Amino acid sequence: MSYITGSHAFKTGLFLLRSWRHHSSDINGVGDAPSMTFTFNRGLPVSVTEYATPIEFRDHANALGLYAQDQWTVKRLSMNLALRLDQLHAIVPAHDLPAGPFVPARSFGAVDCVPCWKDLAPRLGAAYDLFGKGKTALKMSFGRYVGSEQLDLARANDPVQTTVSSARVRGRMRTATSSRNRARLGPLSPSTFGQLITTTHYADDVLLRNRPYSWQVSAAVQHELRPGVALNVGYFRTSWKNFRATDNLLVAPSDYDPYCITAPVDARLPGGGGNQICGLYDITPTKFGIQNNLVTSASNFGNQKEIYNGVDATINARLGRGAFVGGGLSTGRTVTNSCFVQATQTLAGFVSVVDSPQALRPGFCDIAPPFSANTQISSTRPFRCPGTFR
């Protein structure tokens, strides 16, 4: 809905979305998971993989977007102020699964607020006619934008997702016509097949607050060099916020052992090679493979950063009769930094907390590529719109 006058324009709108996702695999293997598969060697089955079918995922979400924006034009200045409210509520409904060939009937309760988010996003834009002749304009914009989210968090928190849904047994048997032959081969691996084993939990600060978002800022100048020829130079900055981290609560920095390796002898290496390369770490065998993950906000460990800065410069010229030519230069880089420690935890990477001190090496946690690595030069050759000429 809009209200527009000569110097003032007001607009408001509403966005509603209800989405469902239903994925199932029945006891006959309809879907993407069969009930049983065999591995053969020279015509004889040597292993059997069983699946905890039937498997069924059900997720749905309700999304609301409510926005309002107001624009004024006062002499040579145009201002645009906007505010947007975003709400997202996802749920995993309760559902029952019948018994399958290898698992009993199961019941799963509902899981609510996966996630429940509310966000206010302000946005501001302005354009100013610098000399009042309509040939030079200064423009800027500033806004907050929430990250997209469908049903990934709902699926990750679905109790069915925690089921150990497959297991394998190895050995030789004469035929593969029946699951009865599997009993002759030995125990299943893993032995927790069909059980609910939760190795990853999501904290409330992820599910109820702290939706990922970004701040975007831009400033540009546009100038008419001569009739039909325009130059545009712009600066762009994007800063991402509300990172997530996955912390294995069963592992600490003391569970890593340092080691060194010897570089090969080669004249192309610094000093001719043959030197010791240290500062490397490996997890102790007693802690290898164990997991109790907590997905939480990265801000609990420190200040993770990811910032893009870029500059674009373009020039376009209209040659008449529908033809134009243009070209430009674009350069920018994204700088990331996750080199921080709090208590006994170290954050490295975008979505995982690791406890290895090796993660503090600059090449692992502080990345700032040169601008030259992301510079592009482009050109547009003369083009004539169809139908311009006879």
Side-chain angles (χ1 to χ4, degrees), residues 17 31 33 72 86 94 98 102 127 170 172 179 199 214 229 231 253 268 281 296 306 337 355-356:
L17 173 67
W72 306 271
D86 282 287
F102 309 112
R170 297 179 182 274
R172 239 177 224 285
S179 62
T199 59
S214 65
V229 181
L231 172 68
R268 294 170 295 178
Y281 292 81
T296 184
E306 183 172 353
N337 187 295
D355 302 288
S356 171

PDB file of all heavy atoms in Angstrom, residues 17 31 33 72 86 94 98 102 127 170 172 179 199 214 229 231 253 268 281 296 306 337 355-356:
ATOM      1  N   LEU A  17       4.368 -16.174   5.014  1.00  0.00           N
ATOM      2  CA  LEU A  17       4.827 -17.418   4.392  1.00  0.00           C
ATOM      3  C   LEU A  17       4.594 -18.570   5.364  1.00  0.00           C
ATOM      4  O   LEU A  17       4.927 -18.479   6.545  1.00  0.00           O
ATOM      5  CB  LEU A  17       6.316 -17.340   4.049  1.00  0.00           C
ATOM      6  CG  LEU A  17       6.955 -18.643   3.539  1.00  0.00           C
ATOM      7  CD1 LEU A  17       6.378 -19.010   2.179  1.00  0.00           C
ATOM      8  CD2 LEU A  17       8.464 -18.514   3.473  1.00  0.00           C
ATOM      9  N   GLY A  31      11.779 -43.997  -1.362  1.00  0.00           N
ATOM     10  CA  GLY A  31      12.459 -42.802  -0.892  1.00  0.00           C
ATOM     11  C   GLY A  31      13.937 -42.929  -1.197  1.00  0.00           C
ATOM     12  O   GLY A  31      14.327 -43.619  -2.141  1.00  0.00           O
ATOM     13  N   ALA A  33      16.305 -44.119   0.965  1.00  0.00           N
ATOM     14  CA  ALA A  33      17.011 -45.067   1.811  1.00  0.00           C
ATOM     15  C   ALA A  33      16.324 -46.429   1.750  1.00  0.00           C
ATOM     16  O   ALA A  33      15.175 -46.577   2.157  1.00  0.00           O
ATOM     17  CB  ALA A  33      17.058 -44.571   3.246  1.00  0.00           C
ATOM     18  N   TRP A  72      11.213  11.416   1.428  1.00  0.00           N
ATOM     19  CA  TRP A  72      10.973  12.842   1.261  1.00  0.00           C
ATOM     20  C   TRP A  72      11.963  13.402   0.264  1.00  0.00           C
ATOM     21  O   TRP A  72      13.098  12.935   0.162  1.00  0.00           O
ATOM     22  CB  TRP A  72      11.169  13.612   2.574  1.00  0.00           C
ATOM     23  CG  TRP A  72      10.377  13.107   3.734  1.00  0.00           C
ATOM     24  CD1 TRP A  72       9.131  13.464   4.122  1.00  0.00           C
ATOM     25  CD2 TRP A  72      10.830  12.156   4.699  1.00  0.00           C
ATOM     26  NE1 TRP A  72       8.764  12.809   5.263  1.00  0.00           N
ATOM     27  CE2 TRP A  72       9.792  11.997   5.641  1.00  0.00           C
ATOM     28  CE3 TRP A  72      12.011  11.413   4.851  1.00  0.00           C
ATOM     29  CZ2 TRP A  72       9.896  11.132   6.721  1.00  0.00           C
ATOM     30  CZ3 TRP A  72      12.114  10.546   5.927  1.00  0.00           C
ATOM     31  CH2 TRP A  72      11.062  10.417   6.842  1.00  0.00           C
ATOM     32  N   ASP A  86      10.919  -8.793  11.062  1.00  0.00           N
ATOM     33  CA  ASP A  86      10.936 -10.180  10.571  1.00  0.00           C
ATOM     34  C   ASP A  86      10.707 -11.127  11.738  1.00  0.00           C
ATOM     35  O   ASP A  86      11.363 -11.014  12.786  1.00  0.00           O
ATOM     36  CB  ASP A  86      12.279 -10.504   9.912  1.00  0.00           C
ATOM     37  CG  ASP A  86      12.391  -9.929   8.521  1.00  0.00           C
ATOM     38  OD1 ASP A  86      11.736 -10.462   7.608  1.00  0.00           O
ATOM     39  OD2 ASP A  86      13.136  -8.949   8.354  1.00  0.00           O
ATOM     40  N   ALA A  94       4.829 -33.541  16.462  1.00  0.00           N
ATOM     41  CA  ALA A  94       4.886 -34.912  16.978  1.00  0.00           C
ATOM     42  C   ALA A  94       4.431 -35.884  15.900  1.00  0.00           C
ATOM     43  O   ALA A  94       3.507 -35.589  15.131  1.00  0.00           O
ATOM     44  CB  ALA A  94       4.009 -35.039  18.224  1.00  0.00           C
ATOM     45  N   PRO A  98       5.834 -46.455  12.284  1.00  0.00           N
ATOM     46  CA  PRO A  98       5.550 -47.878  12.505  1.00  0.00           C
ATOM     47  C   PRO A  98       6.836 -48.691  12.561  1.00  0.00           C
ATOM     48  O   PRO A  98       7.912 -48.211  12.213  1.00  0.00           O
ATOM     49  CB  PRO A  98       4.692 -48.247  11.290  1.00  0.00           C
ATOM     50  CG  PRO A  98       5.129 -47.285  10.223  1.00  0.00           C
ATOM     51  CD  PRO A  98       5.454 -46.004  10.934  1.00  0.00           C
ATOM     52  N   PHE A 102      13.849 -53.912  10.934  1.00  0.00           N
ATOM     53  CA  PHE A 102      14.928 -54.047  11.917  1.00  0.00           C
ATOM     54  C   PHE A 102      14.730 -53.186  13.154  1.00  0.00           C
ATOM     55  O   PHE A 102      15.570 -53.210  14.055  1.00  0.00           O
ATOM     56  CB  PHE A 102      16.266 -53.683  11.258  1.00  0.00           C
ATOM     57  CG  PHE A 102      16.504 -54.411   9.970  1.00  0.00           C
ATOM     58  CD1 PHE A 102      16.503 -53.724   8.769  1.00  0.00           C
ATOM     59  CD2 PHE A 102      16.695 -55.778   9.950  1.00  0.00           C
ATOM     60  CE1 PHE A 102      16.716 -54.394   7.579  1.00  0.00           C
ATOM     61  CE2 PHE A 102      16.896 -56.452   8.762  1.00  0.00           C
ATOM     62  CZ  PHE A 102      16.905 -55.766   7.569  1.00  0.00           C
ATOM     63  N   ALA A 127      20.132  10.625  -1.319  1.00  0.00           N
ATOM     64  CA  ALA A 127      20.733  11.060  -2.579  1.00  0.00           C
ATOM     65  C   ALA A 127      20.711  12.587  -2.608  1.00  0.00           C
ATOM     66  O   ALA A 127      19.696  13.209  -2.263  1.00  0.00           O
ATOM     67  CB  ALA A 127      19.977  10.493  -3.778  1.00  0.00           C
ATOM     68  N   ARG A 170      30.007 -57.276   8.607  1.00  0.00           N
ATOM     69  CA  ARG A 170      30.883 -57.813   7.566  1.00  0.00           C
ATOM     70  C   ARG A 170      31.041 -59.323   7.734  1.00  0.00           C
ATOM     71  O   ARG A 170      30.966 -59.853   8.834  1.00  0.00           O
ATOM     72  CB  ARG A 170      32.254 -57.143   7.608  1.00  0.00           C
ATOM     73  CG  ARG A 170      32.219 -55.653   7.340  1.00  0.00           C
ATOM     74  CD  ARG A 170      33.604 -55.055   7.419  1.00  0.00           C
ATOM     75  NE  ARG A 170      33.578 -53.621   7.219  1.00  0.00           N
ATOM     76  CZ  ARG A 170      33.617 -53.019   6.023  1.00  0.00           C
ATOM     77  NH1 ARG A 170      33.687 -53.767   4.924  1.00  0.00           N
ATOM     78  NH2 ARG A 170      33.578 -51.723   5.913  1.00  0.00           N
ATOM     79  N   ARG A 172      31.230 -63.319   5.153  1.00  0.00           N
ATOM     80  CA  ARG A 172      30.824 -63.977   3.922  1.00  0.00           C
ATOM     81  C   ARG A 172      29.623 -64.865   4.181  1.00  0.00           C
ATOM     82  O   ARG A 172      29.538 -65.530   5.195  1.00  0.00           O
ATOM     83  CB  ARG A 172      31.985 -64.843   3.406  1.00  0.00           C
ATOM     84  CG  ARG A 172      32.425 -64.462   2.045  1.00  0.00           C
ATOM     85  CD  ARG A 172      33.615 -65.308   1.656  1.00  0.00           C
ATOM     86  NE  ARG A 172      34.629 -64.510   1.033  1.00  0.00           N
ATOM     87  CZ  ARG A 172      34.568 -64.047  -0.193  1.00  0.00           C
ATOM     88  NH1 ARG A 172      33.511 -64.322  -0.923  1.00  0.00           N
ATOM     89  NH2 ARG A 172      35.509 -63.323  -0.687  1.00  0.00           N
ATOM     90  N   SER A 179      17.345 -61.620   5.137  1.00  0.00           N
ATOM     91  CA  SER A 179      18.073 -61.019   6.249  1.00  0.00           C
ATOM     92  C   SER A 179      18.459 -62.053   7.296  1.00  0.00           C
ATOM     93  O   SER A 179      19.252 -61.776   8.188  1.00  0.00           O
ATOM     94  CB  SER A 179      17.209 -59.930   6.901  1.00  0.00           C
ATOM     95  OG  SER A 179      16.023 -60.508   7.417  1.00  0.00           O
ATOM     96  N   THR A 199      24.307 -36.322  19.640  1.00  0.00           N
ATOM     97  CA  THR A 199      25.690 -35.872  19.789  1.00  0.00           C
ATOM     98  C   THR A 199      25.838 -34.376  19.541  1.00  0.00           C
ATOM     99  O   THR A 199      26.907 -33.825  19.769  1.00  0.00           O
ATOM    100  CB  THR A 199      26.623 -36.629  18.827  1.00  0.00           C
ATOM    101  OG1 THR A 199      26.185 -36.413  17.477  1.00  0.00           O
ATOM    102  CG2 THR A 199      26.607 -38.118  19.124  1.00  0.00           C
ATOM    103  N   SER A 214      23.619  -9.060   8.697  1.00  0.00           N
ATOM    104  CA  SER A 214      24.745  -8.270   8.200  1.00  0.00           C
ATOM    105  C   SER A 214      24.354  -6.803   8.173  1.00  0.00           C
ATOM    106  O   SER A 214      23.183  -6.454   7.998  1.00  0.00           O
ATOM    107  CB  SER A 214      25.160  -8.724   6.793  1.00  0.00           C
ATOM    108  OG  SER A 214      24.128  -8.476   5.856  1.00  0.00           O
ATOM    109  N   VAL A 229      27.508  10.441 -21.368  1.00  0.00           N
ATOM    110  CA  VAL A 229      28.664   9.760 -20.779  1.00  0.00           C
ATOM    111  C   VAL A 229      28.639   9.981 -19.265  1.00  0.00           C
ATOM    112  O   VAL A 229      28.635  11.129 -18.802  1.00  0.00           O
ATOM    113  CB  VAL A 229      29.997  10.268 -21.363  1.00  0.00           C
ATOM    114  CG1 VAL A 229      31.170   9.518 -20.738  1.00  0.00           C
ATOM    115  CG2 VAL A 229      30.008  10.120 -22.880  1.00  0.00           C
ATOM    116  N   LEU A 231      30.072   8.675 -15.237  1.00  0.00           N
ATOM    117  CA  LEU A 231      31.066   7.999 -14.408  1.00  0.00           C
ATOM    118  C   LEU A 231      30.440   7.714 -13.049  1.00  0.00           C
ATOM    119  O   LEU A 231      29.790   8.574 -12.460  1.00  0.00           O
ATOM    120  CB  LEU A 231      32.304   8.876 -14.231  1.00  0.00           C
ATOM    121  CG  LEU A 231      33.355   8.380 -13.231  1.00  0.00           C
ATOM    122  CD1 LEU A 231      34.021   7.105 -13.748  1.00  0.00           C
ATOM    123  CD2 LEU A 231      34.397   9.461 -12.962  1.00  0.00           C
ATOM    124  N   PRO A 253      42.036 -28.155  25.088  1.00  0.00           N
ATOM    125  CA  PRO A 253      43.393 -27.998  24.518  1.00  0.00           C
ATOM    126  C   PRO A 253      44.408 -28.972  25.093  1.00  0.00           C
ATOM    127  O   PRO A 253      45.349 -29.366  24.401  1.00  0.00           O
ATOM    128  CB  PRO A 253      43.741 -26.545  24.869  1.00  0.00           C
ATOM    129  CG  PRO A 253      42.425 -25.856  24.955  1.00  0.00           C
ATOM    130  CD  PRO A 253      41.485 -26.860  25.535  1.00  0.00           C
ATOM    131  N   ARG A 268      64.753 -25.522  -3.547  1.00  0.00           N
ATOM    132  CA  ARG A 268      63.692 -24.548  -3.770  1.00  0.00           C
ATOM    133  C   ARG A 268      63.029 -24.111  -2.463  1.00  0.00           C
ATOM    134  O   ARG A 268      62.267 -23.150  -2.453  1.00  0.00           O
ATOM    135  CB  ARG A 268      62.642 -25.136  -4.710  1.00  0.00           C
ATOM    136  CG  ARG A 268      63.164 -25.393  -6.115  1.00  0.00           C
ATOM    137  CD  ARG A 268      62.175 -26.202  -6.938  1.00  0.00           C
ATOM    138  NE  ARG A 268      61.991 -27.537  -6.391  1.00  0.00           N
ATOM    139  CZ  ARG A 268      61.155 -28.448  -6.898  1.00  0.00           C
ATOM    140  NH1 ARG A 268      60.428 -28.127  -7.969  1.00  0.00           N
ATOM    141  NH2 ARG A 268      61.048 -29.644  -6.359  1.00  0.00           N
ATOM    142  N   TYR A 281      49.742 -29.996  15.969  1.00  0.00           N
ATOM    143  CA  TYR A 281      49.132 -30.703  17.095  1.00  0.00           C
ATOM    144  C   TYR A 281      48.220 -31.804  16.580  1.00  0.00           C
ATOM    145  O   TYR A 281      47.589 -31.680  15.529  1.00  0.00           O
ATOM    146  CB  TYR A 281      48.327 -29.742  17.972  1.00  0.00           C
ATOM    147  CG  TYR A 281      49.173 -28.744  18.721  1.00  0.00           C
ATOM    148  CD1 TYR A 281      49.635 -27.595  18.097  1.00  0.00           C
ATOM    149  CD2 TYR A 281      49.514 -28.956  20.049  1.00  0.00           C
ATOM    150  CE1 TYR A 281      50.424 -26.682  18.779  1.00  0.00           C
ATOM    151  CE2 TYR A 281      50.299 -28.048  20.741  1.00  0.00           C
ATOM    152  CZ  TYR A 281      50.747 -26.906  20.098  1.00  0.00           C
ATOM    153  OH  TYR A 281      51.524 -26.002  20.775  1.00  0.00           O
ATOM    154  N   THR A 296      26.413 -23.018  19.669  1.00  0.00           N
ATOM    155  CA  THR A 296      26.091 -21.822  20.429  1.00  0.00           C
ATOM    156  C   THR A 296      26.627 -20.607  19.687  1.00  0.00           C
ATOM    157  O   THR A 296      27.219 -20.726  18.608  1.00  0.00           O
ATOM    158  CB  THR A 296      26.687 -21.912  21.847  1.00  0.00           C
ATOM    159  OG1 THR A 296      26.292 -20.783  22.604  1.00  0.00           O
ATOM    160  CG2 THR A 296      28.199 -21.986  21.792  1.00  0.00           C
ATOM    161  N   GLU A 306      34.088 -10.958  10.121  1.00  0.00           N
ATOM    162  CA  GLU A 306      34.107 -11.217   8.675  1.00  0.00           C
ATOM    163  C   GLU A 306      33.586  -9.949   8.002  1.00  0.00           C
ATOM    164  O   GLU A 306      32.415  -9.599   8.152  1.00  0.00           O
ATOM    165  CB  GLU A 306      33.265 -12.423   8.300  1.00  0.00           C
ATOM    166  CG  GLU A 306      33.336 -12.732   6.799  1.00  0.00           C
ATOM    167  CD  GLU A 306      32.673 -14.040   6.445  1.00  0.00           C
ATOM    168  OE1 GLU A 306      32.266 -14.780   7.363  1.00  0.00           O
ATOM    169  OE2 GLU A 306      32.550 -14.318   5.245  1.00  0.00           O
ATOM    170  N   ASN A 337      38.659 -13.060  10.775  1.00  0.00           N
ATOM    171  CA  ASN A 337      39.542 -13.210  11.926  1.00  0.00           C
ATOM    172  C   ASN A 337      38.793 -13.929  13.038  1.00  0.00           C
ATOM    173  O   ASN A 337      37.714 -13.489  13.455  1.00  0.00           O
ATOM    174  CB  ASN A 337      40.033 -11.849  12.428  1.00  0.00           C
ATOM    175  CG  ASN A 337      41.087 -11.988  13.514  1.00  0.00           C
ATOM    176  OD1 ASN A 337      40.816 -12.491  14.594  1.00  0.00           O
ATOM    177  ND2 ASN A 337      42.291 -11.526  13.235  1.00  0.00           N
ATOM    178  N   ASP A 355      39.896 -27.209  19.733  1.00  0.00           N
ATOM    179  CA  ASP A 355      40.724 -26.964  20.900  1.00  0.00           C
ATOM    180  C   ASP A 355      42.208 -27.081  20.585  1.00  0.00           C
ATOM    181  O   ASP A 355      43.030 -26.888  21.468  1.00  0.00           O
ATOM    182  CB  ASP A 355      40.352 -27.960  21.997  1.00  0.00           C
ATOM    183  CG  ASP A 355      38.883 -27.843  22.368  1.00  0.00           C
ATOM    184  OD1 ASP A 355      38.529 -26.847  23.005  1.00  0.00           O
ATOM    185  OD2 ASP A 355      38.109 -28.732  22.001  1.00  0.00           O
ATOM    186  N   SER A 356      42.539 -27.407  19.350  1.00  0.00           N
ATOM    187  CA  SER A 356      43.940 -27.553  18.997  1.00  0.00           C
ATOM    188  C   SER A 356      44.628 -26.194  18.970  1.00  0.00           C
ATOM    189  O   SER A 356      44.169 -25.273  18.295  1.00  0.00           O
ATOM    190  CB  SER A 356      44.076 -28.223  17.627  1.00  0.00           C
ATOM    191  OG  SER A 356      45.413 -28.182  17.188  1.00  0.00           O
TER     192      SER A 356
END
